[in-house]
Amino acid sequence: MPELKVSAIKEGTVIDHIPAGKGLKVIEILKLEKLSNGGAVLLAMNVPSKKLGRKDIVKVEGRFLSEEEVNKIALVAPTATVNIIKEYRVVEKFKVEVPEVIEGILRCGNPNCITNHEYVTTKFYVISRNPLKVRCHYCERTMEEEEILANL
Amino acid sequence: MDWKGRDVISIRDFSREDIEVVLSTAERLEREMKEKGQLEYARGKILATLFFEPSTRTRLSFESAMHRLGGSVIGFAEASTSSVKKGESLRDTIKTVEQYADVIVIRHPKEGAARLAAEVAEVPVINAGDGSNQHPTQTLLDLYTIKKEFGRIDGLKIGLLGDLKYGRTVHSLAEALSHYDVELYLISPSLLRMPRHIVEELKEKGMKVIETTKLEEVIGELDVLYVTRIQKERFPDEQEYLKVRGSYQVNLDTLRNVKETLRIMHPLPRVDEIHPEVDRTKYAIYFKQVFNGVPVRMALLGLVLGVI
Ligand SMILES: [Zn+2]
């Protein structure tokens, strides 16, 4: 089956190779449902993929990602690639990567952790990438994928 | 490793070499304390003990340690009597208290509070228990007790008995023991087994771990039996607590076929997991263990203050 074609965008970001079913989560963590520039957001779900079998794709018009956002995507969709589009062309393309230390973007799932009670920038050490597992710098509790997604 | 100014937050931060430094310093201070009674290393230094949750034993042990080093102590024993009650943040409390003290000992009901305090404070911070997370000085005094009794830690067979699921002290002790060449026996009712991720971590570090529900089958092998209490307050569900309450007890009968050199330890306080008749046997060393907290805490205070 040929890969599904979705209309091109003039300027913006295409997040490709998202594991099937995680596209909505990517939209959610990037808060694209409230895109303020009036640009279009396209979500393609369950698209056939040579690499992944099935994948999701998110295209965002007129918006680029911060490093923090790229790191967030890595936690949700570690296989994702980010394409930066200018004048209908891919001007930059890179794979997301789970950083060794995750600072600020994740809440601790331990309700009794000091970070949930006091103003503290959270910090987690990645102790395993596949499956994803992180340890809180403060309370030392570990979180696995499901809990991480719930606390992004 | 430069000890002056160092924080003591988690046993995870300690290498075997670090542990050995603390144990040998404690040994030296205990000897000097016996010879001279009062030491002067921390003369003019002030310790602040911030107990946001009461723990009289731990606080007294730290205060005793500081006094024996010749230093003095300020602090509070309950958050409800301090400005914390008025809603002051931990950050602000620490920034204030460090103006008065050279070293801070903190006990706090929230996990991670000690780490945060250490990041905020310019003076060294020692964790005296943060929620169900860490209590590193307890682990160090446990190791000191074992070393004192046997002259070594390597080569011993060590059994941990009781609530291995929620017991903070046994988690840390097991982790610290993974630096040594010991065989670890994990003895508990099946509902209270050591969490899987901890057992896996220990095995990955090359430790020999034996899990069992039957104390009588392994007690004859052991050099050390470390008994813990079932802490009702740690159970999320009272039904679960009721199922395991009183499910094990060490008494004279239990001790019929043990090694002459067996030593029984307990972090105290106990409820009914060790019968009082055991106290009179040569095996019981849990009150010595309490005493050992003082030289170990003296060593830590002296090291982080940079005075010994
Ligand atoms: Zn935490």
Side-chain angles (χ1 to χ4, degrees):
Chain A
M1 188 164 28
E3 291 209 6
L4 182 73
K5 287 258 192 292
V6 198
S7 65
I9 50 175
K10 185 181 179 207
E11 200 174 74
T13 307
V14 176
I15 306 154
D16 199 356
H17 302 110
I18 300 169
K22 296 282 174 62
L24 271 173
K25 190 77 197 176
V26 169
I27 288 181
E28 190 189 317
I29 60 174
L30 296 179
K31 299 190 168 65
L32 297 180
E33 67 275 27
K34 295 174 225 151
L35 198 60
S36 56
N37 63 6
V41 178
L42 299 156
L43 166 63
M45 288 171 72
N46 228 22
V47 179
S49 155
K50 282 188 214 105
K51 265 198 246 168
L52 301 173
R54 294 275 164 178
K55 67 177 180 183
D56 289 0
I57 306 170
V58 172
K59 295 192 181 196
V60 200
E61 208 173 23
R63 188 163 173 305
F64 303 98
L65 306 179
S66 67
E67 193 185 335
E68 188 184 309
E69 288 174 321
V70 172
N71 287 340
K72 272 191 181 182
I73 294 170
L75 298 179
V76 178
T79 53
T81 49
V82 176
N83 301 272
I84 296 168
I85 314 286
K86 282 183 179 158
E87 288 302 323
Y88 299 102
R89 278 212 216 112
V90 176
V91 294
E92 202 188 330
K93 179 174 181 161
F94 55 89
K95 276 180 68 73
V96 300
E97 213 179 317
V98 178
E100 277 178 30
V101 181
I102 300 165
E103 277 183 277
I105 61 178
L106 191 58
R107 275 186 309 272
C108 184
N110 171 9
N112 204 38
C113 177
I114 190 75
T115 60
N116 287 316
H117 297 271
E118 193 138 328
Y119 174 75
V120 189
T121 305
T122 62
K123 187 171 171 183
F124 297 86
Y125 301 103
V126 175
I127 49 178
S128 153
R129 287 189 159 75
N130 194 15
L132 186 59
K133 204 170 164 186
V134 302
R135 174 179 291 125
C136 176
H137 167 67
Y138 290 95
C139 73
E140 303 188 13
R141 189 155 324 166
T142 56
M143 288 201 283
E144 292 181 29
E145 200 167 329
E146 206 177 314
E147 206 180 355
I148 293 169
L149 294 188
N151 285 289
L152 266 170
Chain B
M1 181 85 221
D2 192 6
W3 278 86
K4 188 177 177 181
R6 188 178 174 178
D7 302 304
V8 178
I9 304 303
S10 167
I11 202 73
R12 277 180 195 282
D13 304 336
F14 279 71
S15 66
R16 174 165 173 153
E17 197 193 340
D18 293 334
I19 293 171
E20 295 294 329
V21 168
V22 176
L23 303 191
S24 58
T25 307
E27 202 184 328
R28 173 162 73 85
L29 292 175
E30 187 180 338
R31 216 172 34 238
E32 289 184 27
M33 189 165 67
K34 275 195 185 122
E35 286 162 13
K36 302 180 195 157
Q38 175 68 39
L39 305 180
E40 302 292 331
Y41 291 107
R43 173 70 58 210
K45 300 285 185 188
I46 297 175
L47 161 68
T49 56
L50 310 186
F51 277 61
F52 293 85
E53 131 187 300
S55 175
T56 308
R57 293 152 192 267
T58 305
R59 187 171 52 82
L60 292 179
S61 179
F62 270 108
E63 292 187 355
S64 169
M66 191 60 177
H67 287 305
R68 291 213 186 273
L69 276 179
S72 41
V73 183
I74 58 173
F76 58 81
E78 238 184 309
S80 61
T81 59
S82 72
S83 59
V84 177
K85 202 177 81 182
K86 298 170 198 149
E88 185 181 52
S89 70
L90 174 61
R91 189 185 296 272
D92 287 1
T93 306
I94 297 293
K95 289 308 286 175
T96 306
V97 168
E98 73 173 336
Q99 312 302 322
Y100 311 136
D102 303 291
V103 55
I104 293 174
V105 167
I106 179 174
R107 169 98 169 196
H108 199 283
K110 299 273 180 287
E111 287 106 50
R115 181 77 68 190
L116 177 63
E119 287 178 351
V120 171
E122 302 285 335
V123 301
V125 171
I126 299 177
N127 186 3
D130 59 331
S132 61
N133 183 30
Q134 286 277 338
H135 190 10
T137 62
Q138 174 72 46
T139 304
L140 290 163
L141 80 87
D142 291 341
L143 295 170
Y144 182 64
T145 303
I146 297 171
K147 180 111 186 259
K148 231 170 106 176
E149 291 295 318
F150 293 90
R152 65 196 160 96
I153 297 173
D154 286 318
L156 297 177
K157 295 185 176 184
I158 298 174
L160 308 181
L161 170 67
D163 178 3
L164 307 186
K165 185 175 182 182
Y166 299 109
R168 170 179 67 187
T169 51
V170 282
H171 297 169
S172 302
L173 182 57
E175 196 174 333
L177 285 171
S178 72
H179 292 299
Y180 293 86
D181 175 27
V182 298
E183 280 179 37
L184 195 66
Y185 290 74
L186 303 177
I187 313 148
S188 70
S190 46
L191 274 173
L192 298 180
R193 283 171 77 188
M194 183 75 86
R196 291 305 88 197
H197 70 272
I198 297 182
V199 177
E200 279 163 32
E201 237 179 281
L202 297 174
K203 286 181 176 168
E204 270 167 34
K205 287 184 186 162
M207 201 177 203
K208 189 175 172 198
V209 181
I210 300 108
E211 286 187 276
T212 178
T213 56
K214 296 194 172 63
L215 175 63
E216 63 277 13
E217 284 180 5
V218 295
I219 195 168
E221 299 283 316
L222 300 178
D223 299 298
V224 175
L225 178 63
Y226 192 102
V227 187
T228 62
R229 171 172 63 103
I230 295 182
Q231 290 170 275
K232 189 180 175 192
E233 67 277 13
R234 300 241 188 263
F235 281 74
D237 172 9
E238 180 155 8
Q239 283 308 310
E240 195 190 349
Y241 168 72
L242 292 174
K243 274 186 216 157
V244 292
R245 185 181 62 180
S247 56
Y248 54 89
Q249 193 197 45
V250 176
N251 51 40
L252 291 184
D253 206 36
T254 324
L255 298 174
R256 255 182 303 170
N257 293 309
V258 299
K259 284 187 193 171
E260 282 299 291
T261 51
L262 173 74
R263 292 292 175 263
I264 302 172
M265 296 170 65
H266 192 300
L268 300 179
R270 70 176 145 178
V271 183
D272 54 3
E273 58 281 352
I274 301 179
H275 194 282
E277 66 196 7
V278 174
D279 297 3
R280 285 178 285 110
T281 69
K282 61 188 172 205
Y283 310 117
I285 58 166
Y286 23 90
F287 293 109
K288 276 200 227 172
Q289 196 182 341
V290 174
F291 167 79
N292 289 337
V294 176
V296 166
R297 290 176 173 123
M298 287 169 76
L300 286 167
L301 288 167
L303 285 165
V304 303
L305 284 168
V307 294
I308 50 176

